[in-house]
Amino acid sequence: MEKNINILAIETSCDETAASVIQNGNTVLSNIVVSQIESHKRFGGVVPEVASRHHVESITRVIEEALHEANVTPKELDAVAVTYGPGLIGALLVGVNAAKAFAFAHDLPLIPVHHIAGHIYANQLEHDVKFPLIALIVSGGHTELVKMEDHLQFEVIGETLDDAVGEAYDKVARVIGLPYPGGPEIDKLSKEGIDTYNFPRALQDEGYNFSFSGLKSNVINTLHNERQKNIEIKPANVAKSFQESVVDVLTTKTMRALDEENIKTLIVAGGVAANSGLRERFETLTKENGVELYIPSLKYCTDNAAMIGAVAYEQYKRGDFADLNLNGYNYIDIEDVIY
Ligand code: KG4
Ligand code: ZN
């Protein structure tokens, strides 16, 4: 029998301090996530300096808890993996430095992982996903269509030209008075509304790139005009109309990409993959078109370290290691390797 490979994975790219022990790339021995959402709520969004400080306070405890829960000692580990970008630089550096110190202290190889690769590989934790595939990554910082012919081969075929879809959700939520993070709030509220506004569907029938800033401005301007005219605004209808526009654009473009690339497997990942409207629409469309659909369960959609461990296992098999000069990067293209 082959030896089990245990990887300690660390993720601190935004507002979650997370550590996990993953066995053979898909067995989650532990998955600790400490969310900072409560601290950022009163500012209406993530404050980078506050995020870094919280990561510093929590990282050691989170790593200890991950090892404890997995019942694995540092000696039983084969590698340490860490998200090295993209993300908030001060936040990333906390995880990168913790990983470097741990790797050095226990003489373990260090595996640098791209955050978006992590979101895509979240699916490997629950399914044995086959290639080729198309992945739609929708989160607070990213909106990308990625084509994969095989493990660790990422080709970006479309991306947002301005705002990420999660960012648009959070901004629109703020305008209609919902707390941060607004995505889940709009999702919930939209169930009670009707699409009365018919907001624009930017670039829906053109290429694979996305644009959400026009939609966001359109929502803000429409509400402003209605308020000036003393028209009563029904937040549920705004939420539903906004969500319908987003879901139409995301699903239309993704289904077209699958058709044009002749690919029969779709992965949807990232925080916005938790969206019920998006999940339902994709379930219907993929069934109609004979496409296999994979969406992670909710706990693996938002930021976590288990997904980082899933990518790291593939990198481990290839000996894709970094040395102790590893840095964090605020922006890295998933197609490039920079360490
Ligand atoms: O992947 P994630 O946890 O962090 C980033 O890497 O950005 O994504 C967070 C984003 C936030 O913008 C949040 O509002 C959005 O995901 N989100 C949702 C839902 N749940 C989380 N957006 C729409 N509907 C949801 N149910
Ligand atoms: Zn993320």
mmCIF file of all heavy atoms in Angstrom, residues 10-13 81-86 92 95-96 111-115 304 308 328:
data_model
loop_
_atom_site.group_PDB
_atom_site.id
_atom_site.type_symbol
_atom_site.label_atom_id
_atom_site.label_comp_id
_atom_site.label_asym_id
_atom_site.label_seq_id
_atom_site.Cartn_x
_atom_site.Cartn_y
_atom_site.Cartn_z
ATOM 1 N N ILE A 10 -2.597 26.334 4.643
ATOM 2 C CA ILE A 10 -2.895 27.601 5.335
ATOM 3 C C ILE A 10 -3.446 28.612 4.326
ATOM 4 O O ILE A 10 -2.918 28.730 3.221
ATOM 5 C CB ILE A 10 -1.602 28.144 5.997
ATOM 6 C CG1 ILE A 10 -1.098 27.147 7.053
ATOM 7 C CG2 ILE A 10 -1.828 29.522 6.621
ATOM 8 C CD1 ILE A 10 0.293 27.439 7.580
ATOM 9 N N GLU A 11 -4.490 29.326 4.737
ATOM 10 C CA GLU A 11 -5.117 30.320 3.837
ATOM 11 C C GLU A 11 -5.437 31.579 4.650
ATOM 12 O O GLU A 11 -6.175 31.522 5.630
ATOM 13 C CB GLU A 11 -6.382 29.693 3.232
ATOM 14 C CG GLU A 11 -7.498 30.652 2.843
ATOM 15 C CD GLU A 11 -7.195 31.555 1.659
ATOM 16 O OE1 GLU A 11 -6.681 31.078 0.640
ATOM 17 O OE2 GLU A 11 -7.493 32.760 1.776
ATOM 18 N N THR A 12 -4.864 32.711 4.212
ATOM 19 C CA THR A 12 -5.151 33.995 4.895
ATOM 20 C C THR A 12 -5.250 35.139 3.875
ATOM 21 O O THR A 12 -4.828 36.254 4.162
ATOM 22 C CB THR A 12 -4.029 34.374 5.903
ATOM 23 O OG1 THR A 12 -2.808 34.563 5.181
ATOM 24 C CG2 THR A 12 -3.828 33.343 6.979
ATOM 25 N N SER A 13 -5.804 34.858 2.675
ATOM 26 C CA SER A 13 -5.723 35.890 1.640
ATOM 27 C C SER A 13 -6.701 37.051 1.831
ATOM 28 O O SER A 13 -6.519 38.121 1.274
ATOM 29 C CB SER A 13 -5.932 35.268 0.267
ATOM 30 O OG SER A 13 -7.254 34.804 0.154
ATOM 31 N N ALA A 81 1.461 23.793 2.825
ATOM 32 C CA ALA A 81 1.019 24.552 1.662
ATOM 33 C C ALA A 81 0.431 25.873 2.115
ATOM 34 O O ALA A 81 -0.145 25.954 3.210
ATOM 35 C CB ALA A 81 -0.043 23.765 0.908
ATOM 36 N N VAL A 82 0.561 26.892 1.291
ATOM 37 C CA VAL A 82 0.011 28.188 1.677
ATOM 38 C C VAL A 82 -0.436 28.978 0.442
ATOM 39 O O VAL A 82 0.187 28.895 -0.612
ATOM 40 C CB VAL A 82 1.042 29.001 2.501
ATOM 41 C CG1 VAL A 82 2.281 29.364 1.694
ATOM 42 C CG2 VAL A 82 0.407 30.261 3.091
ATOM 43 N N THR A 83 -1.515 29.734 0.609
ATOM 44 C CA THR A 83 -1.947 30.658 -0.439
ATOM 45 C C THR A 83 -0.952 31.802 -0.489
ATOM 46 O O THR A 83 -0.733 32.480 0.515
ATOM 47 C CB THR A 83 -3.325 31.258 -0.094
ATOM 48 O OG1 THR A 83 -4.218 30.197 0.160
ATOM 49 C CG2 THR A 83 -3.839 32.140 -1.218
ATOM 50 N N TYR A 84 -0.343 32.032 -1.675
ATOM 51 C CA TYR A 84 0.641 33.124 -1.768
ATOM 52 C C TYR A 84 0.107 34.257 -2.637
ATOM 53 O O TYR A 84 0.787 35.239 -2.872
ATOM 54 C CB TYR A 84 2.000 32.599 -2.239
ATOM 55 C CG TYR A 84 2.121 32.272 -3.706
ATOM 56 C CD1 TYR A 84 3.016 32.972 -4.517
ATOM 57 C CD2 TYR A 84 1.358 31.271 -4.281
ATOM 58 C CE1 TYR A 84 3.134 32.678 -5.865
ATOM 59 C CE2 TYR A 84 1.471 30.976 -5.621
ATOM 60 C CZ TYR A 84 2.368 31.677 -6.417
ATOM 61 O OH TYR A 84 2.475 31.390 -7.748
ATOM 62 N N GLY A 85 -1.131 34.140 -3.114
ATOM 63 C CA GLY A 85 -1.775 35.207 -3.867
ATOM 64 C C GLY A 85 -2.865 34.623 -4.740
ATOM 65 O O GLY A 85 -2.976 33.409 -4.833
ATOM 66 N N PRO A 86 -3.703 35.438 -5.364
ATOM 67 C CA PRO A 86 -3.820 36.865 -5.105
ATOM 68 C C PRO A 86 -4.653 37.107 -3.843
ATOM 69 O O PRO A 86 -5.375 36.237 -3.404
ATOM 70 C CB PRO A 86 -4.538 37.371 -6.355
ATOM 71 C CG PRO A 86 -5.301 36.203 -6.871
ATOM 72 C CD PRO A 86 -4.579 34.963 -6.426
ATOM 73 N N LEU A 92 -2.022 38.107 3.249
ATOM 74 C CA LEU A 92 -1.281 36.975 2.672
ATOM 75 C C LEU A 92 0.028 36.722 3.401
ATOM 76 O O LEU A 92 0.408 35.578 3.667
ATOM 77 C CB LEU A 92 -0.948 37.263 1.205
ATOM 78 C CG LEU A 92 -2.086 37.163 0.199
ATOM 79 C CD1 LEU A 92 -1.688 37.838 -1.108
ATOM 80 C CD2 LEU A 92 -2.455 35.704 -0.055
ATOM 81 N N GLY A 95 0.029 34.465 6.490
ATOM 82 C CA GLY A 95 -0.007 33.028 6.200
ATOM 83 C C GLY A 95 1.315 32.539 5.623
ATOM 84 O O GLY A 95 1.822 31.483 6.013
ATOM 85 N N VAL A 96 1.867 33.317 4.695
ATOM 86 C CA VAL A 96 3.125 32.910 4.044
ATOM 87 C C VAL A 96 4.239 32.796 5.089
ATOM 88 O O VAL A 96 4.991 31.814 5.109
ATOM 89 C CB VAL A 96 3.503 33.907 2.919
ATOM 90 C CG1 VAL A 96 4.930 33.695 2.442
ATOM 91 C CG2 VAL A 96 2.534 33.769 1.748
ATOM 92 N N ILE A 111 4.769 24.466 -0.242
ATOM 93 C CA ILE A 111 4.041 24.461 -1.526
ATOM 94 C C ILE A 111 3.241 25.756 -1.672
ATOM 95 O O ILE A 111 2.333 26.017 -0.875
ATOM 96 C CB ILE A 111 3.090 23.247 -1.620
ATOM 97 C CG1 ILE A 111 3.882 21.947 -1.403
ATOM 98 C CG2 ILE A 111 2.369 23.232 -2.962
ATOM 99 C CD1 ILE A 111 3.025 20.692 -1.404
ATOM 100 N N PRO A 112 3.569 26.571 -2.683
ATOM 101 C CA PRO A 112 2.850 27.832 -2.884
ATOM 102 C C PRO A 112 1.601 27.608 -3.736
ATOM 103 O O PRO A 112 1.678 27.041 -4.820
ATOM 104 C CB PRO A 112 3.870 28.671 -3.658
ATOM 105 C CG PRO A 112 4.715 27.669 -4.381
ATOM 106 C CD PRO A 112 4.616 26.351 -3.704
ATOM 107 N N VAL A 113 0.437 28.039 -3.252
ATOM 108 C CA VAL A 113 -0.815 27.748 -3.971
ATOM 109 C C VAL A 113 -1.527 29.041 -4.385
ATOM 110 O O VAL A 113 -1.610 29.997 -3.606
ATOM 111 C CB VAL A 113 -1.751 26.861 -3.107
ATOM 112 C CG1 VAL A 113 -3.068 26.608 -3.821
ATOM 113 C CG2 VAL A 113 -1.070 25.549 -2.757
ATOM 114 N N HIS A 114 -2.037 29.034 -5.610
ATOM 115 C CA HIS A 114 -2.819 30.162 -6.129
ATOM 116 C C HIS A 114 -4.245 30.065 -5.567
ATOM 117 O O HIS A 114 -4.861 28.990 -5.615
ATOM 118 C CB HIS A 114 -2.830 30.091 -7.656
ATOM 119 C CG HIS A 114 -3.346 31.319 -8.321
ATOM 120 N ND1 HIS A 114 -4.682 31.633 -8.363
ATOM 121 C CD2 HIS A 114 -2.702 32.330 -8.962
ATOM 122 C CE1 HIS A 114 -4.840 32.774 -9.015
ATOM 123 N NE2 HIS A 114 -3.654 33.225 -9.385
ATOM 124 N N HIS A 115 -4.750 31.185 -5.063
ATOM 125 C CA HIS A 115 -6.058 31.182 -4.400
ATOM 126 C C HIS A 115 -7.196 30.667 -5.306
ATOM 127 O O HIS A 115 -8.065 29.903 -4.876
ATOM 128 C CB HIS A 115 -6.356 32.596 -3.898
ATOM 129 C CG HIS A 115 -7.629 32.698 -3.133
ATOM 130 N ND1 HIS A 115 -7.766 32.248 -1.835
ATOM 131 C CD2 HIS A 115 -8.853 33.185 -3.479
ATOM 132 C CE1 HIS A 115 -9.003 32.455 -1.425
ATOM 133 N NE2 HIS A 115 -9.686 33.031 -2.408
ATOM 134 N N ASN A 304 -11.446 28.789 2.484
ATOM 135 C CA ASN A 304 -11.071 27.751 3.450
ATOM 136 C C ASN A 304 -9.695 27.223 3.065
ATOM 137 O O ASN A 304 -9.199 27.503 1.971
ATOM 138 C CB ASN A 304 -12.124 26.639 3.445
ATOM 139 C CG ASN A 304 -12.187 25.910 2.122
ATOM 140 O OD1 ASN A 304 -11.437 24.973 1.877
ATOM 141 N ND2 ASN A 304 -13.047 26.375 1.201
ATOM 142 N N ILE A 308 -7.045 24.602 -0.519
ATOM 143 C CA ILE A 308 -5.625 24.892 -0.805
ATOM 144 C C ILE A 308 -4.827 23.584 -0.716
ATOM 145 O O ILE A 308 -3.952 23.311 -1.549
ATOM 146 C CB ILE A 308 -5.080 25.959 0.187
ATOM 147 C CG1 ILE A 308 -5.905 27.253 0.109
ATOM 148 C CG2 ILE A 308 -3.585 26.229 -0.015
ATOM 149 C CD1 ILE A 308 -5.980 27.893 -1.282
ATOM 150 N N GLY A 328 4.432 36.923 -0.758
ATOM 151 C CA GLY A 328 3.007 36.977 -1.059
ATOM 152 C C GLY A 328 2.803 37.981 -2.196
ATOM 153 O O GLY A 328 3.597 38.908 -2.350
#
